[in-house]
Structures are given as C-alpha cells and as structure tokens.
Amino acid sequence: MPTTPPVKPSAPALAAHVTPGTPRSQAKENRRQALLAAAAALFALHGFNRVSLEDLGAAAGVSGPAVYRHFQGKQAVLGDLLLTVSRELLDGGRRVIAETTDPLAALRRLVGFQVEFALGKPDVIRVQDRDFSNLSQKDQSEVRALQRNYVEIWVEVLSLLHPGTDAVELRMRAHATFGLINSTPHSVRNHGRKIAHKTARPLLESMALAALTVDVPEAP
C-alpha cells in the first residue's frame, strides 16, 4: 500500500497517564502517546486495514520499525488505543459517582463527561465503530467488559431517578443516549461545515438529559 502522508491529529487521542521517571522513560511514553494519537487520526481517516506501520511511524516522526519498540504490531496499537480510552471512560464515571451524592447532579456530570469525550475524541469513536472487529479476541472481550461496567454506572444513577424501573429499560436509555452523543463525529458536520463545540455541547447535553429523565407514559 502506498504510504499515506503524515496526518496531524486535531486533538490528542488520549490523555497521558505518566508516572514520574527518568527523562528517557518520559520520552518513551511521549513517543507512545504520539503513536496512539497518530493511529487514532489515521485509522479514522483511512481505516485500520489501509494503514501500515510505516504510516504510523511517519505520522509520529519515527521509522516504521521503531514502532516495534512500543507495540508488538499494528493490532496491538489498535488494542492499546481502544483499551486505554475504555479505561478512561470507566475511571471518569467512577470519579463522578465518588464525588457526587445527588443523583440528578451525578447524571448531569456523567452526561457532560460523555459529551466532552465525544467532542474531544471523535476519531476514537470512528475507530471503535468501524474497526472494533480488527481487535484480537482478548482485547475485544476486555473492551466489552470495561464498557459494560461503564454502562452500569449510568444504570446505577438512573435507578435512583427512576425507582422501580427495570434495569433492562435503564440500560436501553443509557445506550440510546450514547448513540445520540457519540453520533457527534457525524452530526457536528453539516454539508462540510463544522458546528462549533460551544454550540454542540449544550445542545447535546440538553437532548441527552431530556431522554434520560423523561417519564415513560403508561400504555392506554
């Protein structure tokens, strides 16, 4: 496959979680993060199967073989990308629960957190939607487990706002809301024009909260 030109990510694909260490270990972690950011941008633009290790290295400013200093191969890059972001979502959801006692306030924070993620990392959402099947079976199972646990945080909060409602319905509300918010990579563009985040954010948050808090009318 012809080597694609370097792609500059619109925003960092992932937030770095770095343990203080030597300058050399810091530089290694920075390079790893640059490779993940390049992977998010390139996989989103071209698809996993059309991007080579040489493409990733070029976009991050290293040679293709140098990628192996950080990852076992391209599939490992994809796995690290989606596993890391899934852990970040779960950790963020847990922080909301730990820091907020009022269920409505907690729900507002969860919605704001998810919207911020969707607006900040649209490339990762595209990659998850299109290339999840290219993960190894082990990584697929782990990503699913992390994301199920994240959903259950939402269900826990929703159960306090809708007492007596079956958990299946609450999960449906949560998944439908994720679908609304995570459509951002597509919905913020209108005939090639990008909608500003300051406009998209309150609209997405208000729509999501309305869907999550509306009472279901009784059947006639």
Side-chain angles (χ1 to χ4, degrees):
M1 185 192 78
T3 301
T4 55
V7 173
K8 182 179 179 182
S10 57
L14 303 168
H17 299 288
V18 179
T19 301
T22 65
R24 182 170 181 172
S25 64
Q26 179 67 61
K28 184 176 180 179
E29 176 60 22
N30 290 344
R31 183 66 69 194
R32 174 182 165 276
Q33 291 295 326
L35 285 166
L36 289 176
L42 287 172
F43 292 163
L45 182 62
H46 301 291
F48 174 81
N49 291 321
R50 297 186 63 188
V51 176
S52 68
L53 283 178
E54 287 72 20
D55 298 331
L56 292 177
V62 300
S63 66
V67 178
Y68 286 106
R69 298 174 187 169
H70 305 273
F71 302 99
Q72 292 182 346
K74 189 173 69 167
Q75 189 180 51
V77 177
L78 178 65
D80 201 337
L81 179 68
L82 295 184
L83 282 167
T84 300
V85 78
S86 297
R87 293 185 187 112
E88 288 180 353
L89 284 171
L90 180 57
D91 290 345
R94 285 172 172 167
R95 281 195 300 272
V96 169
I97 295 299
E99 297 170 359
T100 316
T101 56
D102 177 70
L104 183 57
L107 185 63
R108 291 182 183 277
R109 285 191 59 186
L110 284 174
V111 167
F113 174 65
Q114 185 68 30
V115 168
E116 187 65 27
F117 162 75
L119 291 174
K121 301 176 181 177
D123 285 345
V124 178
I125 293 174
R126 291 191 188 97
V127 173
Q128 160 100 14
D129 288 346
R130 183 168 55 192
D131 290 314
F132 181 84
S133 62
N134 287 307
L135 290 171
S136 68
Q137 289 299 315
K138 179 179 179 295
D139 285 346
Q140 285 188 31
S141 297
E142 188 171 349
V143 168
R144 286 193 181 104
L146 290 166
Q147 294 180 357
R148 280 196 299 269
N149 288 336
Y150 180 58
V151 171
E152 291 309 303
I153 289 174
W154 287 65
V155 171
E156 179 182 344
V157 172
L158 288 170
S159 68
L160 299 174
L161 295 170
H162 302 281
T165 302
D166 190 87
V168 172
E169 179 187 316
L170 299 179
R171 289 189 192 96
M172 183 180 71
R173 288 193 185 219
H175 281 292
T177 302
F178 297 151
L180 166 68
I181 295 173
N182 291 347
S183 68
T184 299
H186 311 288
S187 62
V188 296
R189 291 188 178 275
N190 181 20
H191 301 295
R193 294 186 303 165
K194 187 175 181 180
I195 300 174
H197 287 188
K198 65 180 181 180
T199 301
R201 181 178 288 107
L203 178 60
L204 287 169
E205 289 180 356
S206 62
M207 291 171 67
L209 283 168
L212 291 166
T213 56
V214 65
D215 291 327
V216 178
E218 295 183 3

